[in-house]
Structure formats: structure tokens, C-alpha cells
Amino acid sequence: MMNAHSVSFATLALLCSTSVLAQTAPSPEARAAATAASMTEDERVILTNGILAIPLIPGMKMPEDAVVGSGYVPGVPRLGVPSLKETDATLGVAWEFGLRKNDDGATALPAGPAIGSTWNPALARKGGEVIGAEARAKGFNVMLAGGVNIIRDPRNGRSFEYISEDPLLSGLIAGEAVAGVQSNHIISTVKHFAFNGQETQRSFVNSLISEKNGRESDLLAFEIAIERGNPGAVMCAYNRVNGPYACDSDWLLNKVLKRDWRYKGFVMSDWGAVPGLHAASNGLDQQSAAMLDKANFFGKPLKDAAAKDPAMAARLKDMNQRILYAIYANGLDTNPSVKGPRNKAAGLATAEAIAKEGIVLLRNEHDVLPLTANARSIVVIGGYADTGVLSGGGSSQVQGEGGPVAAIPVGGDGPMAFLAQEQYHRSNPLRAITTQARGAKVSFQRGNNVGEAADAARKADVAIVFATEWRTEGTDSFDLALPNGQDQLIAAVAEANPNTIVVLETGGPVLMPWLNKTAAVLEAWYPGARGGEAIASILFGQTNPSGHLPLTFPASLDDLPRRTIEGERTNTLAPGGDKPNVEVNADYNIDGSDVGYRWNARKGKTALFPFGHGLTYTSFAYDDLRITGGKRVTATFTVRNTGAREGADVPQLYLVSAVGRKLQKLAGFDKVSLKPGEARKVTITVDPRIIAEWDTDANGWRIGAGSYEFALGASASTLKQAARVRLSAQRLKP
Ligand code: GLC
């Protein structure tokens, strides 16, 4: 504490000037209110609607300052308000059919579940920083990133864009990634708000969910992501929620997001997701790509409505204030994006770091991995491993420098089917394995001739089979099976060689009928721009795997809450390919907030591989778990590396019973890197919303008085220590 005598004149002068400065720099809220108040009637409906900034429509004239990308919203030059130049998406700057002239591509981050598998929010933030910087270097100032829908159905075609089945893990990872994107003075979204759980009939499907179930699952993921990342915008989803469209849902947009969560930014629609002008009254602030809807509701119709109806005039002012708040809070006007070179090396290094931490070692019988000098002959089979690594399709498709090394048309009859290509990034697993193999003889088999592949495997010391499963926006993976006869290929190779290692490049969980015949299985997801190098680094032990599953691999489709995905499949690629007005319900009240591992815990089912699972080349032990109560529940325990090499572990804390009710909820986790023999004390503070239940009548969270049991584990199914704590009753605001 300073006293008058000790403060010099210079310090006083500085204090005065900064306090004066502090008084003259108006807040983003104040600036937004002032700008909105000075808008003319015509200017008030400029920011409220945008266009698809892709000259796909013959004769379409692109605005002068637009950048070819997902969207463009004009600014208001008279008031110094910049236009919004929007690009996809969560995994990197999208390619938009390669229409940007002289574009040098972008860094393709590994898929969302890979980022989730790192359980490393700080690394997720670095990924956001990289893709945000690249968006900025390409002239964009809005990134449609932050895909945070919990992976409620493992067959969801967009699972590769999302992070986890768990709301805490999803929210923390997505929130940090969004913060990383926005650190570049560009707006990021979080999306798709909310309950966007399948691609089948996505423009018509009605997600059924009670308030309690929703608040404790999907909505909690968004709530945590918004708290952590402070996104300038929220993108509402295509689907209906309990009847109304998500972009027209007074409950979701006005009550949950703006009233309860006190969200200050704006809600933009998904592309072609606006049912009418009434959506403005229900909380929608901006109509994206208006030409994809039946009309530009948020243009002249909105202006006319505001001229006649004071309530709509007030709503329109709020719409502008929210958009302006996001612009000012992220410095889009004071730090405009300027086109320039992107830092390719930094992008590739971050993509590789995420891939290395995100690859999950699922199985490693008799320590066949890491490969050693004893592996004198290695045959690599299938999965285009001699070409590149797989990526996911749809609006989030990223392409590296020079575009895809291979693009395999998928066909289909939907209006966007021409987009459907299985694309491979220029990262070559075979080359990376050969480099790491230090003199061993490495050969390749395409895998399209099972007999030949099995013969080659029989003659080798080790067989590494790559298997791919392509997923895309617009359709779902209906059976979780590896396509194109890969199951038969793996089974034949494993029959021929007991040292068969399977490397999966999938967009989500898959079934593995051949599992017990194999020696090792790696889940590499879509491993991104340096995926081949990361896979080889783990196979040969240069990297000690530390990935842990962010979602359950079910043992059978019969174990899922919904045995089939509701809805009629009319083509291979939506949007626009859905059969109009087919009433389809996705009943999410079946599992409610018990998604994934929580469902298995409730039903006593055993996963093929459980949530949180991941093997390592060392070993860890936990000790001395203690739980203390009070305002916040705190857990402390010790993690020790009991193996022979350095490695990182993800100890997971689960709530396993609450006032006598058995359940399972991830309550916290840490990522701990330890040298052999090293031990560290870990402290986890539990978010009270994980312990609480949602009380719909009180519109808030409630913790009942009584005993709560927590367990520490290396996965949802390997709980090692437990401890109880008594808590007093508590109520929390939303
Ligand atoms: C899409 C997606 C959304 C994307 C938008 C713009 O259909 O649902 O994630 O950001 O359109 O491409």
C-alpha cells in the first residue's frame, strides 16, 4: 500500500494520466451503444445480414473488399465500422473450392477428437492462435471456429470437427481454442448452438431434450466454452429444438444464452438456417448468407418492421449493439486484418505437436511398440499410407499448400455432392516410417489385394496396417464399420503376422471385429498436416504416447441409446439434400445428460475402449487422494512415474456417487509430465456445476446436502482410488 510521503511527483503524474486515460477510453459496450445510436435507418440493417462470399452463382458480383470465403457482411464506413470477412473453421482456414487466387493453402490442424485427446487446453489454445493468425494473414476477421457440440452420437458425420462426449472436456478445450483464435484480433464463433447431434435430415430433425438434461450436458459445454473463450459470436444450428428452429428459439437464444449466461456478443445463423423475420424477436442477431434462405429477412423486411413497431426498433438497436460490441471487444476496427505471409513453420510445428499428443495408443500387447532395431523388415499396408493422411469433408475442409495430394470423389446426388471428396493431406506416413526405421527394410502394399497383403505380412517381422474412415458434414457414419473391406484386410494380415499393428485414421469411434488378433492399435484420427511424422514418431518411440480418448468406443451399436439414427437418407450429402419436411425426432431424453461413458455407467455396459483410455510406454501410479469440501470441492493426490522413461499422464477425477445416487461424471483432470521415478502433487478444483443438478423450477443449479464420492482413474473404467466428502446444500445461479 503506498502512502502520500513515499509517492514521487512523477508517479503521481503517471497515476493521474493513466486514470485520465482510463476514463477517456470508453468500453466496447459504451462504444457500441454510441455507434448504434448514430446509425441512420438504412445503416441499421447493414450489419444484420450477410452474403455467401463465394462467386459460385454465375454473374454474382463480389463486394470490392470481400475475401473469397464463407461469408461477408458489409461495414458502415461512415462510422468506421469494418466489414466482416468470414472464413471456416475449427481445424484451420478452409479452402473454399480453391477459389482464392494465389492462396497458398493453410495449416490443417488434427481433427477435433485429436485435440480433445491431448486433454491439454493450453495446446488447444496454441492451435487456435495458429489458425487465427492464418485467417488474419488471408484478410479475414471472423473465424467460424469453436465447434463444441458434444459428440452425443458416435455416428455423427461431423464428429471429426468436435471434441468430446463430455461437456467439461469439450468446453475447456473449445474455450481455449477460441481464445487462441481471438488473440489475433479476429472474432471467433462457438457452434452449433445447440443439440446439433446428427447430419441426417439436419435441416428438419427435431432434437428433443428436457431443460434439466440439456443444461447438464450440451448446454454446459457451450457455457464453459463461452466463459473460457469469450467468443464474439455464437452460431445457432440448423436443427429444431423441442419444436422451434435453434435460430428461432426464444428459450435457447433469449433465455439461456442472453438472459442466464449474460452473453454480450451476437448470434449469427448457420448458412441457410433462418426460418423468418420472427427469428429476430427470438434472439437471432444476424442472418448469414441470406441468399440461402427464402428471403433476406434481416434486410428491408426488418427495416420496415422496425419503422412500424417500437419493440422491433428496440430489438434492431440491440442487434447492432451486439455485433458492434464483438467488433470493438476484439479490436477489428483498431487492428484491421492485413493480407500477408503466414508463418508456415509455426503452423506445422503446432499441428505436429497436437498430433503427437492427440494420437491414442489403444492396445499394445507384449510391448510390440515402440518398434526397436529387432524389426528388420516392416511391411506397411493400405490407408493410402504411401500418399498422405486423411481429412474430413464439408465446410471445415482445410487444404495444405498445393492442395490435397489425393482427392477421391465420393459421388452422390445432393446439390453439394460435387464437393464430396476424400482428401488426403501431404504428409506421408510411409516416408516418415522409412526415415525412422533406421535401416530396416520397409515395403508397401496397397491393400487392395488381401492375399498379397497377407503373404507380404507373413514374410515380415512387423506388419503395419493403416485403415481409414472418411466422415463429412452432411451425412452420418451409420454403422461405425471400417469401409471398403478393411476389416477383412486387417483380419487376414493379423492372421499372417502376430506382430500386426493397426493405425486408424478415423473421424470418430469404429468397431474392431479383428481386435483380438492384433498386437497393437493406434487411433490417429485425422492427424493433420504433419500426421505421418507424428504417427512414425510414436511407432518408433521418439514420442511417448499420451493421448486419452475423449469419447467412448462402443463395443456394439446395440449399446447406444438410439440403435439407429432417426431420419430418411435421401442422398450422400446435405445440405439441401435432405428430404423436405420429413418429421424426424432425435430423442435425446433417452440418454439425457448421461452421454457416452455416463450412459455405459448407467446401463452397466462395457466399452470396447472407454472414455479417458490411453496407453503409454511408461507407467504411472496414483496415491493419497484427498477430497475437501466447502465453497469449492478440491481434490489432491500424487502422481508418480513408475516406469523407465519420461512420459505424460492424464489423471482423471470422476464424481461417482451423489447423496447415495450412483453416477459417473468427469469432475476434473490434469496433464502431468514426469521423468522416471518423479512424483508430483496435483490439485484439482471441481466446478460446482458438475456436482450440482439443474433445478428447472428454480432456474438454477442445486447441490443437495449429503455425501459425495469421487474416484481417481486413468480412464472411466479404471478407477483406482476413491474418497468421500460431505457437502452442505448450495444453490448456484445459471
Ligand atoms: C455450414 C456449417 C457451418 C459453417 C457454415 C459456413 O453449413 O454448418 O459450420 O460454418 O455453413 O460454411
mmCIF file of all heavy atoms in Angstrom, residues 520-550:
data_model
loop_
_atom_site.group_PDB
_atom_site.id
_atom_site.type_symbol
_atom_site.label_atom_id
_atom_site.label_comp_id
_atom_site.label_asym_id
_atom_site.label_seq_id
_atom_site.Cartn_x
_atom_site.Cartn_y
_atom_site.Cartn_z
ATOM 1 N N ALA A 520 -1.173 -54.424 -31.694
ATOM 2 C CA ALA A 520 -1.276 -53.029 -31.223
ATOM 3 C C ALA A 520 -2.246 -52.261 -32.104
ATOM 4 O O ALA A 520 -2.422 -52.582 -33.292
ATOM 5 C CB ALA A 520 0.095 -52.357 -31.251
ATOM 6 N N VAL A 521 -2.887 -51.242 -31.513
ATOM 7 C CA VAL A 521 -3.794 -50.361 -32.266
ATOM 8 C C VAL A 521 -3.543 -48.917 -31.826
ATOM 9 O O VAL A 521 -3.502 -48.635 -30.616
ATOM 10 C CB VAL A 521 -5.274 -50.700 -32.018
ATOM 11 C CG1 VAL A 521 -6.184 -49.765 -32.820
ATOM 12 C CG2 VAL A 521 -5.560 -52.156 -32.378
ATOM 13 N N LEU A 522 -3.323 -48.052 -32.807
ATOM 14 C CA LEU A 522 -3.185 -46.607 -32.563
ATOM 15 C C LEU A 522 -4.399 -45.920 -33.175
ATOM 16 O O LEU A 522 -4.741 -46.202 -34.323
ATOM 17 C CB LEU A 522 -1.963 -46.069 -33.315
ATOM 18 C CG LEU A 522 -0.573 -46.071 -32.712
ATOM 19 C CD1 LEU A 522 0.387 -45.415 -33.705
ATOM 20 C CD2 LEU A 522 -0.548 -45.312 -31.397
ATOM 21 N N GLU A 523 -5.039 -44.983 -32.448
ATOM 22 C CA GLU A 523 -6.059 -44.129 -33.055
ATOM 23 C C GLU A 523 -5.407 -42.792 -33.364
ATOM 24 O O GLU A 523 -5.036 -42.038 -32.453
ATOM 25 C CB GLU A 523 -7.247 -43.940 -32.115
ATOM 26 C CG GLU A 523 -8.298 -42.965 -32.636
ATOM 27 C CD GLU A 523 -8.877 -43.331 -33.995
ATOM 28 O OE1 GLU A 523 -9.674 -44.268 -34.070
ATOM 29 O OE2 GLU A 523 -8.495 -42.657 -34.986
ATOM 30 N N ALA A 524 -5.201 -42.508 -34.652
ATOM 31 C CA ALA A 524 -4.523 -41.267 -35.055
ATOM 32 C C ALA A 524 -5.522 -40.207 -35.493
ATOM 33 O O ALA A 524 -5.138 -39.088 -35.838
ATOM 34 C CB ALA A 524 -3.546 -41.565 -36.179
ATOM 35 N N TRP A 525 -6.851 -40.546 -35.545
ATOM 36 C CA TRP A 525 -7.871 -39.602 -36.017
ATOM 37 C C TRP A 525 -7.479 -39.072 -37.405
ATOM 38 O O TRP A 525 -6.700 -39.734 -38.117
ATOM 39 C CB TRP A 525 -8.039 -38.451 -35.025
ATOM 40 C CG TRP A 525 -8.166 -38.863 -33.590
ATOM 41 C CD1 TRP A 525 -7.218 -38.719 -32.610
ATOM 42 C CD2 TRP A 525 -9.280 -39.476 -32.947
ATOM 43 N NE1 TRP A 525 -7.676 -39.214 -31.416
ATOM 44 C CE2 TRP A 525 -8.946 -39.684 -31.589
ATOM 45 C CE3 TRP A 525 -10.559 -39.879 -33.367
ATOM 46 C CZ2 TRP A 525 -9.810 -40.270 -30.667
ATOM 47 C CZ3 TRP A 525 -11.416 -40.459 -32.453
ATOM 48 C CH2 TRP A 525 -11.053 -40.644 -31.124
ATOM 49 N N TYR A 526 -7.909 -37.870 -37.771
ATOM 50 C CA TYR A 526 -7.348 -37.231 -38.973
ATOM 51 C C TYR A 526 -6.186 -36.415 -38.426
ATOM 52 O O TYR A 526 -6.395 -35.411 -37.752
ATOM 53 C CB TYR A 526 -8.371 -36.349 -39.665
ATOM 54 C CG TYR A 526 -9.623 -37.086 -40.111
ATOM 55 C CD1 TYR A 526 -10.851 -36.453 -40.190
ATOM 56 C CD2 TYR A 526 -9.582 -38.427 -40.442
ATOM 57 C CE1 TYR A 526 -11.992 -37.140 -40.570
ATOM 58 C CE2 TYR A 526 -10.711 -39.132 -40.834
ATOM 59 C CZ TYR A 526 -11.923 -38.480 -40.889
ATOM 60 O OH TYR A 526 -13.050 -39.156 -41.264
ATOM 61 N N PRO A 527 -4.949 -36.857 -38.672
ATOM 62 C CA PRO A 527 -3.834 -36.354 -37.864
ATOM 63 C C PRO A 527 -3.231 -35.030 -38.331
ATOM 64 O O PRO A 527 -2.237 -34.572 -37.780
ATOM 65 C CB PRO A 527 -2.820 -37.481 -37.941
ATOM 66 C CG PRO A 527 -3.066 -38.120 -39.255
ATOM 67 C CD PRO A 527 -4.539 -37.979 -39.530
ATOM 68 N N GLY A 528 -3.794 -34.455 -39.394
ATOM 69 C CA GLY A 528 -3.373 -33.103 -39.777
ATOM 70 C C GLY A 528 -2.109 -33.037 -40.611
ATOM 71 O O GLY A 528 -1.568 -34.049 -41.063
ATOM 72 N N ALA A 529 -1.624 -31.825 -40.768
ATOM 73 C CA ALA A 529 -0.581 -31.515 -41.746
ATOM 74 C C ALA A 529 0.737 -32.232 -41.494
ATOM 75 O O ALA A 529 1.570 -32.330 -42.390
ATOM 76 C CB ALA A 529 -0.343 -30.004 -41.755
ATOM 77 N N ARG A 530 0.964 -32.700 -40.294
ATOM 78 C CA ARG A 530 2.216 -33.440 -40.015
ATOM 79 C C ARG A 530 1.871 -34.787 -39.378
ATOM 80 O O ARG A 530 2.588 -35.321 -38.538
ATOM 81 C CB ARG A 530 3.089 -32.608 -39.057
ATOM 82 C CG ARG A 530 3.550 -31.284 -39.642
ATOM 83 C CD ARG A 530 4.725 -31.424 -40.550
ATOM 84 N NE ARG A 530 5.927 -31.865 -39.842
ATOM 85 C CZ ARG A 530 7.055 -32.207 -40.453
ATOM 86 N NH1 ARG A 530 7.098 -32.190 -41.765
ATOM 87 N NH2 ARG A 530 8.098 -32.589 -39.764
ATOM 88 N N GLY A 531 0.721 -35.319 -39.828
ATOM 89 C CA GLY A 531 0.252 -36.557 -39.217
ATOM 90 C C GLY A 531 1.150 -37.748 -39.432
ATOM 91 O O GLY A 531 1.388 -38.535 -38.511
ATOM 92 N N GLY A 532 1.701 -37.871 -40.637
ATOM 93 C CA GLY A 532 2.581 -39.013 -40.918
ATOM 94 C C GLY A 532 3.797 -39.015 -40.019
ATOM 95 O O GLY A 532 4.168 -40.048 -39.434
ATOM 96 N N GLU A 533 4.365 -37.839 -39.847
ATOM 97 C CA GLU A 533 5.567 -37.727 -38.998
ATOM 98 C C GLU A 533 5.222 -38.066 -37.545
ATOM 99 O O GLU A 533 5.978 -38.737 -36.852
ATOM 100 C CB GLU A 533 6.143 -36.303 -39.080
ATOM 101 C CG GLU A 533 6.750 -35.934 -40.427
ATOM 102 C CD GLU A 533 5.718 -35.621 -41.514
ATOM 103 O OE1 GLU A 533 4.503 -35.575 -41.203
ATOM 104 O OE2 GLU A 533 6.128 -35.444 -42.670
ATOM 105 N N ALA A 534 4.032 -37.615 -37.102
ATOM 106 C CA ALA A 534 3.650 -37.867 -35.707
ATOM 107 C C ALA A 534 3.407 -39.355 -35.476
ATOM 108 O O ALA A 534 3.851 -39.921 -34.464
ATOM 109 C CB ALA A 534 2.395 -37.068 -35.366
ATOM 110 N N ILE A 535 2.758 -39.995 -36.424
ATOM 111 C CA ILE A 535 2.486 -41.444 -36.292
ATOM 112 C C ILE A 535 3.795 -42.216 -36.207
ATOM 113 O O ILE A 535 4.007 -43.043 -35.317
ATOM 114 C CB ILE A 535 1.645 -41.937 -37.491
ATOM 115 C CG1 ILE A 535 0.223 -41.367 -37.414
ATOM 116 C CG2 ILE A 535 1.621 -43.463 -37.552
ATOM 117 C CD1 ILE A 535 -0.579 -41.524 -38.709
ATOM 118 N N ALA A 536 4.726 -41.893 -37.097
ATOM 119 C CA ALA A 536 6.023 -42.614 -37.106
ATOM 120 C C ALA A 536 6.783 -42.350 -35.820
ATOM 121 O O ALA A 536 7.414 -43.247 -35.246
ATOM 122 C CB ALA A 536 6.841 -42.169 -38.315
ATOM 123 N N SER A 537 6.690 -41.132 -35.327
ATOM 124 C CA SER A 537 7.418 -40.766 -34.099
ATOM 125 C C SER A 537 6.935 -41.607 -32.929
ATOM 126 O O SER A 537 7.708 -42.005 -32.058
ATOM 127 C CB SER A 537 7.180 -39.277 -33.828
ATOM 128 O OG SER A 537 7.742 -38.902 -32.607
ATOM 129 N N ILE A 538 5.652 -41.913 -32.905
ATOM 130 C CA ILE A 538 5.113 -42.747 -31.810
ATOM 131 C C ILE A 538 5.427 -44.213 -32.055
ATOM 132 O O ILE A 538 5.855 -44.936 -31.148
ATOM 133 C CB ILE A 538 3.601 -42.493 -31.664
ATOM 134 C CG1 ILE A 538 3.431 -41.151 -30.934
ATOM 135 C CG2 ILE A 538 2.892 -43.614 -30.929
ATOM 136 C CD1 ILE A 538 2.043 -40.755 -30.602
ATOM 137 N N LEU A 539 5.306 -44.672 -33.290
ATOM 138 C CA LEU A 539 5.592 -46.090 -33.583
ATOM 139 C C LEU A 539 7.014 -46.467 -33.176
ATOM 140 O O LEU A 539 7.258 -47.558 -32.677
ATOM 141 C CB LEU A 539 5.405 -46.370 -35.078
ATOM 142 C CG LEU A 539 3.967 -46.394 -35.611
ATOM 143 C CD1 LEU A 539 3.965 -46.469 -37.133
ATOM 144 C CD2 LEU A 539 3.172 -47.551 -35.004
ATOM 145 N N PHE A 540 7.946 -45.543 -33.371
ATOM 146 C CA PHE A 540 9.352 -45.855 -33.079
ATOM 147 C C PHE A 540 9.811 -45.302 -31.732
ATOM 148 O O PHE A 540 10.997 -45.315 -31.417
ATOM 149 C CB PHE A 540 10.246 -45.349 -34.210
ATOM 150 C CG PHE A 540 10.120 -46.174 -35.462
ATOM 151 C CD1 PHE A 540 9.144 -45.877 -36.407
ATOM 152 C CD2 PHE A 540 10.924 -47.287 -35.673
ATOM 153 C CE1 PHE A 540 8.979 -46.649 -37.544
ATOM 154 C CE2 PHE A 540 10.773 -48.075 -36.813
ATOM 155 C CZ PHE A 540 9.794 -47.749 -37.751
ATOM 156 N N GLY A 541 8.871 -44.761 -30.957
ATOM 157 C CA GLY A 541 9.194 -44.382 -29.585
ATOM 158 C C GLY A 541 9.902 -43.066 -29.415
ATOM 159 O O GLY A 541 10.299 -42.697 -28.319
ATOM 160 N N GLN A 542 10.038 -42.302 -30.511
ATOM 161 C CA GLN A 542 10.650 -40.958 -30.363
ATOM 162 C C GLN A 542 9.713 -40.090 -29.511
ATOM 163 O O GLN A 542 10.130 -39.241 -28.766
ATOM 164 C CB GLN A 542 10.814 -40.344 -31.751
ATOM 165 C CG GLN A 542 11.694 -39.125 -31.806
ATOM 166 C CD GLN A 542 11.586 -38.483 -33.181
ATOM 167 O OE1 GLN A 542 10.477 -38.138 -33.618
ATOM 168 N NE2 GLN A 542 12.709 -38.359 -33.858
ATOM 169 N N THR A 543 8.416 -40.368 -29.640
ATOM 170 C CA THR A 543 7.398 -39.710 -28.805
ATOM 171 C C THR A 543 6.727 -40.788 -27.964
ATOM 172 O O THR A 543 6.330 -41.832 -28.486
ATOM 173 C CB THR A 543 6.339 -39.015 -29.692
ATOM 174 O OG1 THR A 543 6.990 -38.005 -30.450
ATOM 175 C CG2 THR A 543 5.224 -38.411 -28.866
ATOM 176 N N ASN A 544 6.593 -40.499 -26.671
ATOM 177 C CA ASN A 544 5.879 -41.422 -25.800
ATOM 178 C C ASN A 544 4.387 -41.060 -25.862
ATOM 179 O O ASN A 544 4.029 -39.926 -25.527
ATOM 180 C CB ASN A 544 6.394 -41.278 -24.363
ATOM 181 C CG ASN A 544 5.819 -42.339 -23.441
ATOM 182 O OD1 ASN A 544 4.956 -43.120 -23.865
ATOM 183 N ND2 ASN A 544 6.276 -42.370 -22.212
ATOM 184 N N PRO A 545 3.511 -41.925 -26.332
ATOM 185 C CA PRO A 545 2.096 -41.553 -26.480
ATOM 186 C C PRO A 545 1.488 -41.106 -25.154
ATOM 187 O O PRO A 545 1.786 -41.676 -24.111
ATOM 188 C CB PRO A 545 1.434 -42.830 -26.995
ATOM 189 C CG PRO A 545 2.370 -43.931 -26.669
ATOM 190 C CD PRO A 545 3.740 -43.341 -26.665
ATOM 191 N N SER A 546 0.656 -40.065 -25.219
ATOM 192 C CA SER A 546 -0.008 -39.564 -24.003
ATOM 193 C C SER A 546 -1.470 -39.225 -24.273
ATOM 194 O O SER A 546 -2.125 -38.616 -23.444
ATOM 195 C CB SER A 546 0.698 -38.303 -23.493
ATOM 196 O OG SER A 546 0.603 -37.270 -24.486
ATOM 197 N N GLY A 547 -1.960 -39.624 -25.458
ATOM 198 C CA GLY A 547 -3.358 -39.323 -25.798
ATOM 199 C C GLY A 547 -4.318 -40.173 -24.974
ATOM 200 O O GLY A 547 -3.998 -41.314 -24.639
ATOM 201 N N HIS A 548 -5.465 -39.580 -24.648
ATOM 202 C CA HIS A 548 -6.506 -40.323 -23.924
ATOM 203 C C HIS A 548 -7.845 -40.061 -24.620
ATOM 204 O O HIS A 548 -8.150 -38.911 -24.967
ATOM 205 C CB HIS A 548 -6.568 -39.878 -22.460
ATOM 206 C CG HIS A 548 -5.414 -40.395 -21.656
ATOM 207 N ND1 HIS A 548 -5.517 -41.458 -20.776
ATOM 208 C CD2 HIS A 548 -4.100 -40.046 -21.638
ATOM 209 C CE1 HIS A 548 -4.334 -41.704 -20.232
ATOM 210 N NE2 HIS A 548 -3.453 -40.867 -20.750
ATOM 211 N N LEU A 549 -8.644 -41.096 -24.807
ATOM 212 C CA LEU A 549 -9.881 -40.963 -25.589
ATOM 213 C C LEU A 549 -10.810 -39.909 -25.015
ATOM 214 O O LEU A 549 -11.117 -39.924 -23.832
ATOM 215 C CB LEU A 549 -10.602 -42.312 -25.665
ATOM 216 C CG LEU A 549 -9.942 -43.392 -26.515
ATOM 217 C CD1 LEU A 549 -10.787 -44.673 -26.472
ATOM 218 C CD2 LEU A 549 -9.750 -42.934 -27.962
ATOM 219 N N PRO A 550 -11.291 -38.995 -25.859
ATOM 220 C CA PRO A 550 -12.276 -38.008 -25.412
ATOM 221 C C PRO A 550 -13.706 -38.498 -25.633
ATOM 222 O O PRO A 550 -14.659 -37.772 -25.385
ATOM 223 C CB PRO A 550 -11.985 -36.808 -26.319
ATOM 224 C CG PRO A 550 -11.540 -37.426 -27.591
ATOM 225 C CD PRO A 550 -10.833 -38.703 -27.243
#
